């Protein structure tokens, strides 16, 4: 049987998962424009029943999945790997073994890829669409929007204004922003002035941190929490914008302290925390006994988190200083054609390092994240190692909040 025939049959098997009939395929066709192509409709932890494909010899199975991985390098064809991982446990384990992280292969495949650092060399190019009417921001994979509007959704966020702050709730899908949902990815929270932000992840930055209860803070305001949903928020970064008291001309000045990424990650031989999977069941780790931790002071939890985070020097990002163009009479940065509209929101982030850190100049000048406007409510976002798509998206969301004191 040819490779194309195998992939075709895998897709047919995937269509039958979860009692989804072929008749319902057309009804759900419209949702492909808004639901993530990275996140499968069926969780990878729920493979289908053992069938004719489960008893293949491991050597043959390894060769099949390796060929699929090499031939389907772009989306949506790369979704064939998700179908392979959904067949059964043995297929899933081999698929996870073959598919590398974005840092290693430069590709986004599984949902966990959005929480892993990007490639070290060329950045992953994405774009953001803003829906003003619903205060929703959607992150898509690709250089620019496609003509047929069938773009690959990665993440989405909804802006929620509160009395003293603003929250951006980040989700893996386009239409579910409940923090009690298993599609909840994290949030971005601002202070009253919109000058300081904190990024909270629904899971720890590395698998080893799951065993550290001091690094989590519970969502006390949720009335009900699903037992399969992590009722935790890990603060992974803080963003601060400098006040423009003198109303000086120029772009915003910002710094982003990445609490989950050490400075050593950009040094020679360094590495950034890379989660390999989502926590299977927080209820087994966090809710197996009486909820004694829930009565603990939130300030105690936050203070313990700060102690853990400061055990090693953190990576701090700063916006790259633009130059004033006399002929154009504006501040300019070289976005290499990825930004075409002048906006106060445009920025490029580089590492803020001290000369004593002995980091090469080329590494200091490397743009880790860039964000800019290309049209009405359309912005590009390009990120690379050591940031993940989730972290980069959250940092860009901070630029959308109103900041009268910084402009």
């Amino acid at each position: 049987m040819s490779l194309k025939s195998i992939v075709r049959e895998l897709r047919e098997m995937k269509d039958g998962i979860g009692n989804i009939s072929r008749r319902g395929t057309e009804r759900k066709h419209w949702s492909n424009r808004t639901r993530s192509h990275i996140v499968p409709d069926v969780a990878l932890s729920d493979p289908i029943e053992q069938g004719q494909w489960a008893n293949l010899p491991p050597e043959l199975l390894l060769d099949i999945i390796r060929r699929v991985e090499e031939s389907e390098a772009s989306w949506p064809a790369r979704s064939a790997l998700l179908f392979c991982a959904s067949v059964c446990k043995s297929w899933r384990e081999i698929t996870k073994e073959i598919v590398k992280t974005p840092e290693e292969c430069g590709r986004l495949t599984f949902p966990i890829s959005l929480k892993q650092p990007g490639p070290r060399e060329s950045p992953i190019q994405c774009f953001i669409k803003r829906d003003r009417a619903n205060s929703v921001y959607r992150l898509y994979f690709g250089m620019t929007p496609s003509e047929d509007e069938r773009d690959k959704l990665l993440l989405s966020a909804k802006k929620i204004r509160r009395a003293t702050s603003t929250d951006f709730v980040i989700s893996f899908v386009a239409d579910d922003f409940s923090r009690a949902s298993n599609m909840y990815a994290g949030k971005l929270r601002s202070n009253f002035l919109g000058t300081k932000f904190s990024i909270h992840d629904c899971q720890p930055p590395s698998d080893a941190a799951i065993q550290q209860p001091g690094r989590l803070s519970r969502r006390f305001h949720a009335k009900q929490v699903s037992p399969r949903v992590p009722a935790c928020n890990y603060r992974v970064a803080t963003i601060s914008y400098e006040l423009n008291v003198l109303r000086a001309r120029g772009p915003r000045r910002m710094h982003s302290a990445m609490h989950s990424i050490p400075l050593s990650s950009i040094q020679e031989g360094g590495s950034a925390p890379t989660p390999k999977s989502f926590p299977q069941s927080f209820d087994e780790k966090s809710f197996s006994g009486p909820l004694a931790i829930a009565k603990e002071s939130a300030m105690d939890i936050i203070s313990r988190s700060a102690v853990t985070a400061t055990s090693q020097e953190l990576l701090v990002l700063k916006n790259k200083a633009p130059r004033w163009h006399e002929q154009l009479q504006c501040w300019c940065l070289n976005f290499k054609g990825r930004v075409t509209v002048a906006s106060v929101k445009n920025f490029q982030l580089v590492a803020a390092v001290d000369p004593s850190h002995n980091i090469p100049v080329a590494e200091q000048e490397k743009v880790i994240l860039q964000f800019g406007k290309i049209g009405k409510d359309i912005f590009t976002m390009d990120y690379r190692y050591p940031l993940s798509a989730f972290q980069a998206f959250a940092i860009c969301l901070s630029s959308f909040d109103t900041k009268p004191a910084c402009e």
Side-chain angles (χ1 to χ4, degrees):
M1 183 180 291
S2 66
L3 178 61
K4 290 185 178 180
S5 300
I6 293 175
V7 173
R8 188 185 308 113
E9 184 159 345
L10 287 173
R11 286 174 176 169
E12 292 176 358
M13 293 170 63
K14 181 66 171 59
D15 291 338
I17 296 175
N19 297 324
I20 300 176
S21 65
R22 295 186 180 276
R23 225 178 308 169
T25 304
E26 294 182 359
R27 185 174 66 253
K28 292 192 175 183
H29 175 75
W30 66 271
S31 65
N32 290 334
R33 298 188 178 185
T34 56
R35 292 190 71 84
S36 174
H37 287 271
I38 294 293
V39 180
D41 292 335
V42 178
L44 297 183
S45 58
D46 298 327
I48 64 176
E49 296 294 331
Q50 300 287 343
Q52 59 177 333
W53 295 101
N55 299 320
L56 286 179
E59 297 80 7
L60 176 59
L61 179 58
L62 190 69
D63 182 63
I64 291 174
I65 298 180
R66 183 178 287 114
R67 290 189 182 189
V68 173
E69 200 279 336
E70 293 174 354
S71 62
E72 312 295 357
S74 59
W75 287 90
R78 197 164 177 79
S79 60
L81 287 168
L82 298 180
F83 303 155
C84 291
S86 301
V87 172
C88 62
K89 185 176 180 180
S90 59
W91 282 65
R92 178 179 62 188
E93 294 303 322
I94 292 181
T95 304
K96 290 170 63 177
E97 178 183 342
I98 292 176
V99 176
K100 304 301 182 183
T101 65
E103 178 185 352
E104 297 170 312
C105 69
R107 300 169 183 170
L108 298 172
T109 307
F110 296 119
I112 195 62
S113 302
L114 303 175
K115 296 292 185 75
Q116 296 174 335
R120 290 178 180 263
E121 300 303 325
S122 58
I124 292 181
Q125 297 179 325
C126 312
F127 63 92
I128 298 173
K129 284 186 177 181
R130 175 174 56 182
D131 182 355
R132 291 177 180 265
N134 299 306
S135 299
V136 172
Y137 305 83
R138 296 186 175 93
L139 176 68
Y140 295 90
F141 177 76
M143 296 183 61
T144 55
S146 60
E147 295 182 358
D148 57 6
E149 297 184 358
R150 292 180 59 84
D151 300 305
K152 297 80 179 170
L153 177 68
L154 303 181
L155 294 166
S156 60
K158 185 173 180 63
K159 185 177 182 179
I160 303 174
R161 294 187 181 275
R162 306 188 186 279
T164 59
S165 64
T166 300
D167 281 0
F168 290 84
V169 180
I170 304 174
S171 171
F172 286 108
V173 293
D175 51 3
D176 186 357
F177 299 100
S178 171
R179 287 186 292 175
S181 168
N182 58 359
M183 291 293 102
Y184 173 73
K187 69 177 181 180
L188 173 75
R189 169 164 289 184
S190 75
N191 63 355
F192 178 73
L193 294 177
T195 57
K196 295 186 181 298
F197 296 80
S198 57
I199 302 175
H200 300 264
D201 199 339
C202 70
Q203 71 173 96
S206 63
D207 296 333
I210 296 177
Q211 302 297 335
Q212 301 176 6
R215 295 201 62 181
L216 60 87
S217 61
R218 296 187 175 277
R219 297 200 300 272
F220 296 98
H221 302 291
K223 294 183 179 180
Q224 293 182 345
V225 179
S226 170
R228 297 189 62 184
V229 176
C232 316
N233 276 317
Y234 298 81
R235 189 174 64 176
V236 296
T238 54
I239 307 165
S240 59
Y241 288 81
E242 295 183 12
L243 294 174
N244 190 1
V245 180
L246 301 178
R247 314 300 294 178
R249 297 177 63 188
R252 299 167 178 169
R253 296 179 177 86
M254 63 182 294
H255 288 81
S256 179
M258 310 304 298
H259 300 291
S260 61
I261 305 177
L263 178 64
S264 60
S265 64
I266 62 173
Q267 295 175 336
E268 186 176 357
S271 62
T274 305
K276 299 299 182 181
S277 62
F278 292 103
Q280 290 297 318
S281 55
F282 270 63
D283 50 317
E284 296 178 1
K285 297 181 175 64
S286 304
F287 308 114
S288 56
L291 296 181
I293 298 180
K295 298 180 181 180
E296 187 177 6
S297 168
M299 292 304 297
D300 293 339
I301 296 175
I302 295 174
S303 62
R304 286 206 311 271
S305 301
V307 171
T308 305
T310 55
S311 59
Q312 53 184 330
E313 195 166 1
L314 307 178
L315 173 67
V316 177
L317 304 178
K318 64 177 182 179
N319 61 315
K320 191 174 183 179
R323 61 180 180 85
W324 178 256
H325 198 290
E326 289 294 341
Q327 295 181 343
L328 300 177
Q329 289 295 297
C330 64
W331 296 95
C332 294
L333 279 171
N334 183 13
F335 288 95
K336 298 182 179 180
R338 290 286 288 153
V339 177
T340 57
V341 180
S343 173
V344 71
K345 296 179 176 63
N346 301 348
F347 66 79
Q348 289 180 329
L349 293 187
V350 296
V353 297
D354 190 85
S356 61
H357 293 146
N358 296 323
I359 296 179
V361 177
E363 191 68 29
Q364 297 181 34
E365 296 180 350
K366 183 180 293 184
V367 176
I368 297 176
L369 170 63
Q370 75 173 21
F371 170 79
K373 191 172 184 179
I374 60 173
K376 184 178 181 181
D377 296 325
I378 302 178
F379 304 80
T380 58
M381 186 195 89
D382 301 342
Y383 76 98
R384 70 169 77 220
Y385 175 91
L387 290 184
S388 66
F390 168 78
Q391 294 166 341
F393 184 45
I395 293 174
C396 293
L397 288 174
S398 69
S399 186
F400 287 107
D401 200 25
T402 305
K403 305 172 184 61
C406 303
E407 301 173 356

